[in-house]
């Protein structure tokens, strides 16, 4: 038979002389300790949360309140600290530089204009009236032959000839004309004398005649310049007779059809020079 060991009675002391306390349940002290520790932990957490909320509220209130000037300045104005000369560069050195984008701070006042300088006047809206063309010079022009450089156009006995001009004032006045816009074509020329007559061709001969206002007169008195190969020379072609040019023959100015010859080129080439009067 196996040996069975019996448990000692609870109300009797053990062999060592210690007897368990039967008046309370086992583990009661540990439960009290655990409860006290939990309660202390909860209390500490609640206290910490309350303190942090109070500190954050005070910081927000301080940030919202603007800094005011000293008691000597009017109340309610926002103060802007004036940087000192020595610490202007060191202040905020450990902070990142601001963005170049303009902030919402008040812009600096624009410099006032210097006294004494007037603002430029606005341009006139309406254009200035066009000035009338200046009248031709009173001295006019003279026309010289190319192959007879000592002879000029001159009105004599109503017709125009190539003459040698002396020193007399009458001859020099008869050899001086005014060049104006063509009566029939403004891109061409007309020539007037000192007494107001026009040079025109009649029966293909160049004469001085008064303007009768007719269309035929305007055409007869209009000549278009044509530049040839000779430097500084020109020929004058009739408007109403294209292909006919003014030339001199026996020193008489007349309107002849074009000829491809050296003589014709020489007789029909002229130079416009300053007036002889």
């Amino acid at each position: 038979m196996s040996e069975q060991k019996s448990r000692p009675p609870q109300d009797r002391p053990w062999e060592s002389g210690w007897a368990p306390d039967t008046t309370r349940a086992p583990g009661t002290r540990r439960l009290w300790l655990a409860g006290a520790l939990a309660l202390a932990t909860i209390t500490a957490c609640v206290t910490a949360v309350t303190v942090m909320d109070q500190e954050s509220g005070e910081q927000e209130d301080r940030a919202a309140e603007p800094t005011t000037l000293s008691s000597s300045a009017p109340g309610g104005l926002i103060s802007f600290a004036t940087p000192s000369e020595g610490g202007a560069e060191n202040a905020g050195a450990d902070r990142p530089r601001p963005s170049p984008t303009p902030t919402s701070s008040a812009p600096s006042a624009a410099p006032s204009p210097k006294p004494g300088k007037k603002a430029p006047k606005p341009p006139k809206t309406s254009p200035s009236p066009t000035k009338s063309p200046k009248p031709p010079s009173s001295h006019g022009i003279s026309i010289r032959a190319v192959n007879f450089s000592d002879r000029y156009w001159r009105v004599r006995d109503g017709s125009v000839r190539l003459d040698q001009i002396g020193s007399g004032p009458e001859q020099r006045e008869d050899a001086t004309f005014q060049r104006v816009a063509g009566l029939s074509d403004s891109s061409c020329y007309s020539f007037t004398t000192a007494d107001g007559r026009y040079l025109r061709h009649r029966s293909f001969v160049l004469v001085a005649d008064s303007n009768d206002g007719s269309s035929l007169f305007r055409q007869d008195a209009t000549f278009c310049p044509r530049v040839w190969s000779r430097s500084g020379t020109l020929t004058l072609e009739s408007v109403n007779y294209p292909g006919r040019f003014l030339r001199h023959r026996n020193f008489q100015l007349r309107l002849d059809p074009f000829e491809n010859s050296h003589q014709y080129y020489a007789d029909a080439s002229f130079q416009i020079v300053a007036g002889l009067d």
Side-chain angles (χ1 to χ4, degrees):
M1 293 180 64
S2 62
E3 184 179 358
Q4 296 182 356
K5 295 181 180 180
S6 60
R7 297 180 60 186
Q10 298 295 328
D11 55 350
R12 295 181 183 180
W14 290 356
E15 294 179 356
S16 60
W18 178 84
D21 187 4
T22 59
T23 60
R24 58 182 181 179
T28 302
R29 184 179 297 174
R30 294 180 181 177
L31 290 177
W32 279 103
L33 292 175
L37 180 60
L39 182 59
T41 303
I42 293 173
T43 302
C45 292
V46 172
T47 303
V49 171
T50 303
V51 173
M52 292 177 63
D53 290 341
Q54 292 179 354
E55 292 180 356
S56 61
E58 291 178 358
Q59 292 178 358
E60 292 178 358
D61 294 340
R62 291 177 182 176
E65 294 179 357
T67 304
T68 58
L69 294 172
S70 62
S71 57
S72 61
L77 298 178
I78 299 175
S79 65
F80 297 91
T82 303
S84 61
E85 297 180 357
E89 298 180 356
N90 296 331
D94 55 344
R95 300 178 183 176
R97 293 186 177 179
S99 171
T101 305
T103 60
S104 59
S105 60
S108 58
S112 58
K114 296 181 179 180
K117 291 186 178 181
K118 297 182 179 179
K121 295 182 179 179
K124 297 181 180 179
T125 55
S126 59
S128 58
T130 306
K131 296 181 179 180
S132 58
K134 294 181 179 181
S137 173
S138 59
H139 296 287
I141 61 167
S142 294
I143 303 174
R144 181 174 59 192
V146 170
N147 52 352
F148 291 92
S149 58
D150 59 339
R151 291 178 177 266
Y152 296 83
W153 289 15
R154 178 193 173 195
V155 178
R156 188 173 64 175
D157 299 331
S159 62
V160 183
R161 300 182 56 85
L162 275 183
D163 283 352
Q164 294 177 338
I165 307 301
S167 58
E170 293 183 359
Q171 294 185 10
R172 303 180 76 84
E173 182 178 323
D174 292 341
T176 302
F177 309 95
Q178 297 289 338
R179 180 177 57 183
V180 297
L183 297 179
S184 179
D185 186 349
S186 59
S187 63
C188 300
Y189 299 153
S190 289
F191 302 94
T192 62
T193 61
D195 56 3
R197 292 180 296 174
Y198 283 84
L199 302 186
R200 64 171 292 188
H201 66 84
R202 180 188 295 165
S203 300
F204 303 120
V205 176
L206 190 64
V207 297
D209 198 0
S210 299
N211 185 2
D212 59 6
S214 64
S215 175
L216 178 62
F217 184 92
R218 291 194 297 271
Q219 293 179 7
D220 289 348
T222 303
F223 305 93
C224 296
R226 301 289 184 257
V227 179
W228 285 357
S229 60
R230 291 178 179 271
S231 175
T233 64
L234 54 83
T235 60
L236 296 169
E237 184 179 13
S238 173
V239 167
N240 51 352
Y241 287 94
R244 284 181 175 263
F245 296 83
L246 287 176
R247 65 170 293 187
H248 65 86
R249 181 188 296 173
N250 298 325
F251 304 121
Q252 178 75 46
L253 270 296
R254 54 184 301 112
L255 202 62
D256 280 359
F258 172 75
E259 296 178 6
N260 189 13
S261 65
H262 177 75
Q263 186 66 43
Y264 187 91
Y265 285 129
D267 292 344
S269 298
F270 303 97
Q271 288 181 329
I272 296 179
V273 297
L276 298 178
D277 61 349

